[in-house]
Amino acid sequence: GADAALYLPFDGDPQRAAERVMAAAARLGTDLDGVAEVVLVPHPVSSTADARLHEAADAYVPLHAGCAGHERLARAVGAAVIAPGALARWLATEVPAAAADHPRA
């Protein structure tokens, strides 16, 4: 798999969040096997917390039509906005390129 982690913020029940993520990924044809790790992160809903989350991320994958606000935040900080079906391709091309630019000591 890729040397990348997928951090998914959620508010509410962690089991329900995991089920929703897996169902959405399956419905959209997104292969999560290409990700080194999938992490569900308890995340309070607030504009400040959302902005900090996007500042720390390299990319954002909108999974449903209610994501326009997060798409705007991601674009505002220069993060890639990736269609769900394009995640595996992005991981295969962008993550190795970034690793080459920033080799580990």
Side-chain angles (χ1 to χ4, degrees):
D3 188 20
L6 179 60
Y7 291 90
L8 300 168
F10 74 94
D11 185 28
D13 177 50
Q15 182 63 35
R16 175 85 174 112
E19 291 168 0
R20 290 185 68 200
V21 166
M22 298 308 290
R27 185 175 60 252
L28 296 167
T30 300
D31 179 12
L32 295 178
D33 289 334
V35 179
E37 186 173 10
V38 177
V39 181
L40 291 172
V41 181
H43 181 70
V45 178
S46 79
S47 60
T48 303
D50 289 347
R52 284 196 314 261
L53 180 69
H54 286 287
E55 288 171 357
D58 295 317
Y60 175 69
V61 180
L63 294 178
H64 55 78
C67 297
H70 283 283
E71 284 188 50
R72 282 191 298 276
L73 286 169
R75 291 182 197 286
V77 297
V81 176
I82 304 163
L87 180 59
R89 183 180 31 189
W90 186 84
L91 288 170
T93 58
E94 296 301 319
V95 173
D101 289 342
H102 305 286
R104 292 187 175 121

